[in-house]
Amino acid sequence: MPLENLTREEARERAALLSVDGYEVALDLRSAVGEGGGEEPRTFRSVTTLRFTCAAPGADSFADLIAPSVHSVVLNGRELDPAEVFDGARITLPGLAEQNTLVVDARCAYSRTGEGMHRFVDPEDGEVYLYTQYEPADARRVFANFEQPDLKAPYRFTVTAPEGWSVWGNGAEESREGGVWRFAGTAPISTYITCVVAGPYHHVTDVYRRDGIEIPLGAMCRRSLARHFDADDVFLITKQGFDFFHDNFDYPYPFGKYDQAFVPEYNLGAMENPGLVTFREEYVYRGKVTRAAYERRANVILHEMAHMWFGDLVTMVWWDDLWLKESFADFMGSFVLAEATRFTDSWVTFANSRKSWAYRADQLPSTHPITADIRDLEDAKLNFDGITYAKGAAVLKQLVAYAGREAFFEGARRYFKRHAYGNTRLEDLLAVLEETSGRDMRAWSRSWLETTGVNALTPLVTCDAEGRITELAVEQDGEVLRPHRAAVGLYRLDGGELVRYARAEADVTGARTVVAGLAGERRPDLVLVNDDDLTYCKIRFDERSLETLRGHLGALSDPLARALCWSALWNMTRDALMPARDFVAAAAAFAGRHQRVPGHVPQR
């Protein structure tokens, strides 16, 4: 059994020893069409030329490749016996020089399970479609490489394809002749975000232009779906996203063109390959769908676009810091939706779906810190979950409130410029945010990123004889008492509606915090801790507020406040603080007035 795993320690040792100058990868995909090879896996030829340096000449190392067979391995002009150096997953590289060239000629297998080079036959017309998917470590199923995120390099791909096909890669097309497609070299990127898409895809083009920036746009799906493909809306969201990121990141999109391929049998939501993003084709809608479906697709488009900066331009050193890209992209998807597209209520969706997923995941025995301890690739595969995505995004929303919006974006700008095309760890991000916010980000990180669980925030309201607030405090429960930047909203019944009439923000710390700015206000019918959903917590209610919601939840006119109250009632029911019959009664009385009730866990 070949050793397909890779440990963090092995990756550290290899990164200390090697640096990669570049890859040239030649794939012959003509075998994708025609009859298969019987019981043997259908394969394609993969020839990789890998140039790299070694800090300790004479040392040994290894390259990664998962393939049915290897025809030849040539290291610095010396032929190595594949039977001796290739074990099915690794190629031993003995006696390295300071400057090295490795050439590997292999037969790699097409996939039907989504890893590596996936091959799909359209049942409608018999056409064959290919695409690649690698995260976290399946590029080695397509070409020989050093499969770890911190050994970045530029790539040049050459693809030989069947007649009548089109081919796309991360880089722009340089030439095509006789079925051979050549692509421009990429900027330095990690192995797991290289990509090839090939087949008789339906392809639509457009261009993004602004302030001297010009980005060729493409969108594609299989031909049998062309009549359903609303590429105009895909391009609209894409352009709105680029507008936002260029305005706020002050770092132009760094990867040239921007193609988006909607591919069949995809086992993810999407993947942020620079210049060639792949999506599950369920986002090509075959009939009438809800506004929520279009919002979901737009969110995924913007999520993947955010990765062009968080993840592709600047990449984590190892999978411990997966949140450095996934949490940021999940957060930015909702942020940009609200500020740059027609989906201005995206934070309501976030509160009802993403945070519901996070709360549930964080209260299971399988929960883990946002910055998880990823010992090897097997651990990494398990870390794409509700903690890394949804809790991480919710905590980042808290970070923006804690640091301040401008400090957050200025920190992001410095982060991109300081670490462009490089790899980072958590401390690199914390350093720039400390510079821009003046806050102690290391203490914030210890509380939020390196612990598990969710706090509960409960309001305590004291009023005088005239019904005016003399003190409003917030109690915090939980194993770790975290610093929260939170808003407290006061609501009253007015003309049949529950409307907010006062609001104050405060740093909630420790077990009890007095909120300044609300003393003297008239007694509220509802106190909403975490108004505007700035932090990640369970909301609790004082008795007066709870009675108001039992009778008037449907009177809340603000959709985000409604979402927060529904979420709070659900969490109270889950925690046995509210009888299930009361939640059912509220749902029976008020759910018909609202679009969504929490409890749904999205699949991404």
Side-chain angles (χ1 to χ4, degrees), residues 211-240:
D211 300 333
I213 298 171
E214 184 170 304
I215 303 172
L217 306 178
M220 64 206 75
C221 66
R222 52 190 168 106
R223 285 179 182 171
S224 59
L225 294 180
R227 65 188 182 276
H228 304 295
F229 193 30
D230 55 337
D232 287 347
D233 191 56
V234 171
F235 288 140
L236 171 64
I237 299 298
T238 301
K239 292 176 182 180
Q240 290 170 333

mmCIF file of all heavy atoms in Angstrom, residues 211-240:
data_model
loop_
_atom_site.group_PDB
_atom_site.id
_atom_site.type_symbol
_atom_site.label_atom_id
_atom_site.label_comp_id
_atom_site.label_asym_id
_atom_site.label_seq_id
_atom_site.Cartn_x
_atom_site.Cartn_y
_atom_site.Cartn_z
ATOM 1 N N ASP A 211 -10.770 51.774 -14.811
ATOM 2 C CA ASP A 211 -9.578 52.518 -14.381
ATOM 3 C C ASP A 211 -8.291 51.906 -14.912
ATOM 4 O O ASP A 211 -7.309 51.723 -14.175
ATOM 5 C CB ASP A 211 -9.518 52.586 -12.841
ATOM 6 C CG ASP A 211 -10.731 53.273 -12.241
ATOM 7 O OD1 ASP A 211 -11.339 54.106 -12.931
ATOM 8 O OD2 ASP A 211 -11.076 52.963 -11.079
ATOM 9 N N GLY A 212 -8.285 51.571 -16.183
ATOM 10 C CA GLY A 212 -7.098 51.006 -16.795
ATOM 11 C C GLY A 212 -6.918 49.522 -16.575
ATOM 12 O O GLY A 212 -5.978 48.923 -17.113
ATOM 13 N N ILE A 213 -7.788 48.899 -15.794
ATOM 14 C CA ILE A 213 -7.736 47.444 -15.571
ATOM 15 C C ILE A 213 -8.634 46.772 -16.602
ATOM 16 O O ILE A 213 -9.770 47.192 -16.817
ATOM 17 C CB ILE A 213 -8.216 47.088 -14.156
ATOM 18 C CG1 ILE A 213 -7.311 47.727 -13.106
ATOM 19 C CG2 ILE A 213 -8.250 45.573 -13.966
ATOM 20 C CD1 ILE A 213 -7.842 47.591 -11.685
ATOM 21 N N GLU A 214 -8.126 45.755 -17.265
ATOM 22 C CA GLU A 214 -8.925 44.984 -18.214
ATOM 23 C C GLU A 214 -8.726 43.492 -17.931
ATOM 24 O O GLU A 214 -7.606 42.988 -17.993
ATOM 25 C CB GLU A 214 -8.540 45.307 -19.648
ATOM 26 C CG GLU A 214 -9.405 44.607 -20.672
ATOM 27 C CD GLU A 214 -9.177 45.116 -22.085
ATOM 28 O OE1 GLU A 214 -9.318 46.321 -22.318
ATOM 29 O OE2 GLU A 214 -8.831 44.272 -22.956
ATOM 30 N N ILE A 215 -9.823 42.800 -17.612
ATOM 31 C CA ILE A 215 -9.773 41.386 -17.269
ATOM 32 C C ILE A 215 -10.694 40.622 -18.211
ATOM 33 O O ILE A 215 -11.919 40.805 -18.161
ATOM 34 C CB ILE A 215 -10.219 41.153 -15.811
ATOM 35 C CG1 ILE A 215 -9.356 41.980 -14.845
ATOM 36 C CG2 ILE A 215 -10.143 39.664 -15.455
ATOM 37 C CD1 ILE A 215 -9.866 41.954 -13.410
ATOM 38 N N PRO A 216 -10.154 39.777 -19.095
ATOM 39 C CA PRO A 216 -11.026 38.934 -19.923
ATOM 40 C C PRO A 216 -11.826 37.965 -19.054
ATOM 41 O O PRO A 216 -11.270 37.313 -18.160
ATOM 42 C CB PRO A 216 -10.036 38.186 -20.826
ATOM 43 C CG PRO A 216 -8.758 38.968 -20.760
ATOM 44 C CD PRO A 216 -8.725 39.566 -19.394
ATOM 45 N N LEU A 217 -13.117 37.887 -19.302
ATOM 46 C CA LEU A 217 -14.000 37.016 -18.546
ATOM 47 C C LEU A 217 -14.522 35.890 -19.429
ATOM 48 O O LEU A 217 -14.806 36.108 -20.605
ATOM 49 C CB LEU A 217 -15.193 37.790 -17.978
ATOM 50 C CG LEU A 217 -14.907 39.028 -17.136
ATOM 51 C CD1 LEU A 217 -16.224 39.685 -16.718
ATOM 52 C CD2 LEU A 217 -14.067 38.683 -15.917
ATOM 53 N N GLY A 218 -14.660 34.722 -18.863
ATOM 54 C CA GLY A 218 -15.266 33.595 -19.563
ATOM 55 C C GLY A 218 -16.169 32.827 -18.615
ATOM 56 O O GLY A 218 -15.957 32.823 -17.406
ATOM 57 N N ALA A 219 -17.191 32.204 -19.170
ATOM 58 C CA ALA A 219 -18.068 31.331 -18.379
ATOM 59 C C ALA A 219 -18.460 30.157 -19.258
ATOM 60 O O ALA A 219 -18.738 30.333 -20.452
ATOM 61 C CB ALA A 219 -19.308 32.088 -17.901
ATOM 62 N N MET A 220 -18.480 28.956 -18.698
ATOM 63 C CA MET A 220 -18.714 27.775 -19.525
ATOM 64 C C MET A 220 -19.515 26.717 -18.787
ATOM 65 O O MET A 220 -19.508 26.633 -17.552
ATOM 66 C CB MET A 220 -17.383 27.196 -20.008
ATOM 67 C CG MET A 220 -16.494 26.675 -18.918
ATOM 68 S SD MET A 220 -14.723 26.680 -19.338
ATOM 69 C CE MET A 220 -14.330 28.427 -19.189
ATOM 70 N N CYS A 221 -20.224 25.922 -19.559
ATOM 71 C CA CYS A 221 -20.948 24.757 -19.055
ATOM 72 C C CYS A 221 -20.992 23.748 -20.196
ATOM 73 O O CYS A 221 -20.649 24.058 -21.341
ATOM 74 C CB CYS A 221 -22.356 25.133 -18.595
ATOM 75 S SG CYS A 221 -23.442 25.679 -19.932
ATOM 76 N N ARG A 222 -21.443 22.515 -19.912
ATOM 77 C CA ARG A 222 -21.517 21.549 -21.006
ATOM 78 C C ARG A 222 -22.618 21.969 -21.996
ATOM 79 O O ARG A 222 -23.583 22.646 -21.627
ATOM 80 C CB ARG A 222 -21.722 20.131 -20.478
ATOM 81 C CG ARG A 222 -22.849 19.898 -19.517
ATOM 82 C CD ARG A 222 -22.757 18.491 -18.916
ATOM 83 N NE ARG A 222 -23.634 18.313 -17.790
ATOM 84 C CZ ARG A 222 -24.768 17.602 -17.819
ATOM 85 N NH1 ARG A 222 -25.155 17.016 -18.938
ATOM 86 N NH2 ARG A 222 -25.508 17.475 -16.737
ATOM 87 N N ARG A 223 -22.464 21.531 -23.220
ATOM 88 C CA ARG A 223 -23.331 21.998 -24.306
ATOM 89 C C ARG A 223 -24.806 21.718 -24.060
ATOM 90 O O ARG A 223 -25.673 22.517 -24.407
ATOM 91 C CB ARG A 223 -22.905 21.343 -25.624
ATOM 92 C CG ARG A 223 -21.638 21.923 -26.228
ATOM 93 C CD ARG A 223 -21.297 21.190 -27.509
ATOM 94 N NE ARG A 223 -20.060 21.673 -28.094
ATOM 95 C CZ ARG A 223 -19.454 21.088 -29.122
ATOM 96 N NH1 ARG A 223 -19.983 19.974 -29.669
ATOM 97 N NH2 ARG A 223 -18.331 21.584 -29.610
ATOM 98 N N SER A 224 -25.101 20.585 -23.449
ATOM 99 C CA SER A 224 -26.503 20.216 -23.262
ATOM 100 C C SER A 224 -27.204 21.124 -22.253
ATOM 101 O O SER A 224 -28.429 21.088 -22.137
ATOM 102 C CB SER A 224 -26.614 18.752 -22.828
ATOM 103 O OG SER A 224 -25.907 18.535 -21.617
ATOM 104 N N LEU A 225 -26.434 21.946 -21.522
ATOM 105 C CA LEU A 225 -27.024 22.903 -20.587
ATOM 106 C C LEU A 225 -27.013 24.330 -21.118
ATOM 107 O O LEU A 225 -27.476 25.248 -20.431
ATOM 108 C CB LEU A 225 -26.275 22.870 -19.251
ATOM 109 C CG LEU A 225 -26.372 21.582 -18.431
ATOM 110 C CD1 LEU A 225 -25.581 21.732 -17.136
ATOM 111 C CD2 LEU A 225 -27.818 21.233 -18.133
ATOM 112 N N ALA A 226 -26.503 24.524 -22.319
ATOM 113 C CA ALA A 226 -26.321 25.878 -22.843
ATOM 114 C C ALA A 226 -27.618 26.680 -22.858
ATOM 115 O O ALA A 226 -27.633 27.885 -22.588
ATOM 116 C CB ALA A 226 -25.708 25.826 -24.241
ATOM 117 N N ARG A 227 -28.732 26.027 -23.157
ATOM 118 C CA ARG A 227 -30.004 26.753 -23.256
ATOM 119 C C ARG A 227 -30.479 27.265 -21.900
ATOM 120 O O ARG A 227 -31.354 28.144 -21.826
ATOM 121 C CB ARG A 227 -31.067 25.841 -23.879
ATOM 122 C CG ARG A 227 -31.441 24.620 -23.056
ATOM 123 C CD ARG A 227 -32.348 23.686 -23.846
ATOM 124 N NE ARG A 227 -32.783 22.499 -23.094
ATOM 125 C CZ ARG A 227 -32.073 21.400 -22.991
ATOM 126 N NH1 ARG A 227 -30.870 21.316 -23.576
ATOM 127 N NH2 ARG A 227 -32.536 20.357 -22.315
ATOM 128 N N HIS A 228 -29.906 26.743 -20.832
ATOM 129 C CA HIS A 228 -30.286 27.170 -19.485
ATOM 130 C C HIS A 228 -29.302 28.175 -18.879
ATOM 131 O O HIS A 228 -29.578 28.730 -17.815
ATOM 132 C CB HIS A 228 -30.357 25.970 -18.536
ATOM 133 C CG HIS A 228 -31.267 24.878 -18.995
ATOM 134 N ND1 HIS A 228 -32.631 25.046 -19.108
ATOM 135 C CD2 HIS A 228 -31.012 23.593 -19.362
ATOM 136 C CE1 HIS A 228 -33.178 23.912 -19.523
ATOM 137 N NE2 HIS A 228 -32.217 23.018 -19.684
ATOM 138 N N PHE A 229 -28.180 28.399 -19.533
ATOM 139 C CA PHE A 229 -27.048 29.106 -18.909
ATOM 140 C C PHE A 229 -27.271 30.615 -18.960
ATOM 141 O O PHE A 229 -27.246 31.220 -20.032
ATOM 142 C CB PHE A 229 -25.755 28.726 -19.623
ATOM 143 C CG PHE A 229 -24.498 29.138 -18.906
ATOM 144 C CD1 PHE A 229 -24.455 29.220 -17.523
ATOM 145 C CD2 PHE A 229 -23.338 29.410 -19.614
ATOM 146 C CE1 PHE A 229 -23.298 29.568 -16.867
ATOM 147 C CE2 PHE A 229 -22.170 29.753 -18.970
ATOM 148 C CZ PHE A 229 -22.144 29.842 -17.590
ATOM 149 N N ASP A 230 -27.481 31.230 -17.821
ATOM 150 C CA ASP A 230 -27.672 32.686 -17.738
ATOM 151 C C ASP A 230 -26.338 33.360 -17.426
ATOM 152 O O ASP A 230 -26.132 33.929 -16.350
ATOM 153 C CB ASP A 230 -28.738 33.034 -16.702
ATOM 154 C CG ASP A 230 -28.442 32.453 -15.327
ATOM 155 O OD1 ASP A 230 -27.692 31.453 -15.258
ATOM 156 O OD2 ASP A 230 -28.959 32.991 -14.332
ATOM 157 N N ALA A 231 -25.439 33.334 -18.387
ATOM 158 C CA ALA A 231 -24.095 33.873 -18.194
ATOM 159 C C ALA A 231 -24.125 35.361 -17.880
ATOM 160 O O ALA A 231 -23.233 35.868 -17.178
ATOM 161 C CB ALA A 231 -23.238 33.609 -19.429
ATOM 162 N N ASP A 232 -25.121 36.086 -18.370
ATOM 163 C CA ASP A 232 -25.178 37.530 -18.113
ATOM 164 C C ASP A 232 -25.235 37.827 -16.618
ATOM 165 O O ASP A 232 -24.591 38.768 -16.137
ATOM 166 C CB ASP A 232 -26.388 38.150 -18.811
ATOM 167 C CG ASP A 232 -26.212 38.241 -20.318
ATOM 168 O OD1 ASP A 232 -25.066 38.055 -20.784
ATOM 169 O OD2 ASP A 232 -27.204 38.489 -21.022
ATOM 170 N N ASP A 233 -26.011 37.036 -15.878
ATOM 171 C CA ASP A 233 -26.095 37.277 -14.436
ATOM 172 C C ASP A 233 -24.804 36.870 -13.742
ATOM 173 O O ASP A 233 -24.371 37.525 -12.783
ATOM 174 C CB ASP A 233 -27.284 36.520 -13.838
ATOM 175 C CG ASP A 233 -27.572 36.955 -12.410
ATOM 176 O OD1 ASP A 233 -27.778 38.165 -12.195
ATOM 177 O OD2 ASP A 233 -27.580 36.097 -11.508
ATOM 178 N N VAL A 234 -24.169 35.807 -14.206
ATOM 179 C CA VAL A 234 -22.867 35.413 -13.664
ATOM 180 C C VAL A 234 -21.865 36.542 -13.868
ATOM 181 O O VAL A 234 -21.121 36.914 -12.940
ATOM 182 C CB VAL A 234 -22.377 34.117 -14.329
ATOM 183 C CG1 VAL A 234 -20.928 33.812 -13.936
ATOM 184 C CG2 VAL A 234 -23.281 32.946 -13.955
ATOM 185 N N PHE A 235 -21.838 37.128 -15.053
ATOM 186 C CA PHE A 235 -20.902 38.222 -15.332
ATOM 187 C C PHE A 235 -21.249 39.475 -14.523
ATOM 188 O O PHE A 235 -20.353 40.211 -14.084
ATOM 189 C CB PHE A 235 -20.899 38.555 -16.821
ATOM 190 C CG PHE A 235 -20.225 37.522 -17.682
ATOM 191 C CD1 PHE A 235 -20.754 37.168 -18.923
ATOM 192 C CD2 PHE A 235 -19.058 36.896 -17.275
ATOM 193 C CE1 PHE A 235 -20.136 36.222 -19.726
ATOM 194 C CE2 PHE A 235 -18.431 35.940 -18.073
ATOM 195 C CZ PHE A 235 -18.971 35.606 -19.302
ATOM 196 N N LEU A 236 -22.541 39.734 -14.315
ATOM 197 C CA LEU A 236 -22.938 40.899 -13.524
ATOM 198 C C LEU A 236 -22.376 40.806 -12.110
ATOM 199 O O LEU A 236 -21.756 41.761 -11.605
ATOM 200 C CB LEU A 236 -24.462 41.001 -13.476
ATOM 201 C CG LEU A 236 -25.036 42.057 -12.515
ATOM 202 C CD1 LEU A 236 -24.624 43.459 -12.943
ATOM 203 C CD2 LEU A 236 -26.554 41.927 -12.418
ATOM 204 N N ILE A 237 -22.577 39.660 -11.449
ATOM 205 C CA ILE A 237 -22.062 39.483 -10.096
ATOM 206 C C ILE A 237 -20.537 39.536 -10.100
ATOM 207 O O ILE A 237 -19.908 40.124 -9.201
ATOM 208 C CB ILE A 237 -22.551 38.153 -9.498
ATOM 209 C CG1 ILE A 237 -24.086 38.126 -9.405
ATOM 210 C CG2 ILE A 237 -21.927 37.910 -8.132
ATOM 211 C CD1 ILE A 237 -24.690 39.184 -8.513
ATOM 212 N N THR A 238 -19.916 38.956 -11.107
ATOM 213 C CA THR A 238 -18.455 38.964 -11.216
ATOM 214 C C THR A 238 -17.925 40.385 -11.282
ATOM 215 O O THR A 238 -16.972 40.749 -10.579
ATOM 216 C CB THR A 238 -18.020 38.167 -12.456
ATOM 217 O OG1 THR A 238 -18.502 36.819 -12.350
ATOM 218 C CG2 THR A 238 -16.513 38.154 -12.596
ATOM 219 N N LYS A 239 -18.529 41.213 -12.105
ATOM 220 C CA LYS A 239 -18.066 42.602 -12.249
ATOM 221 C C LYS A 239 -18.313 43.399 -10.981
ATOM 222 O O LYS A 239 -17.469 44.221 -10.579
ATOM 223 C CB LYS A 239 -18.768 43.251 -13.443
ATOM 224 C CG LYS A 239 -18.363 42.664 -14.784
ATOM 225 C CD LYS A 239 -19.167 43.268 -15.927
ATOM 226 C CE LYS A 239 -18.799 42.638 -17.265
ATOM 227 N NZ LYS A 239 -19.580 43.220 -18.384
ATOM 228 N N GLN A 240 -19.437 43.178 -10.341
ATOM 229 C CA GLN A 240 -19.699 43.876 -9.082
ATOM 230 C C GLN A 240 -18.694 43.472 -8.017
ATOM 231 O O GLN A 240 -18.245 44.301 -7.217
ATOM 232 C CB GLN A 240 -21.133 43.579 -8.616
ATOM 233 C CG GLN A 240 -22.194 44.231 -9.500
ATOM 234 C CD GLN A 240 -23.610 43.742 -9.186
ATOM 235 O OE1 GLN A 240 -23.803 42.624 -8.713
ATOM 236 N NE2 GLN A 240 -24.591 44.584 -9.473
#
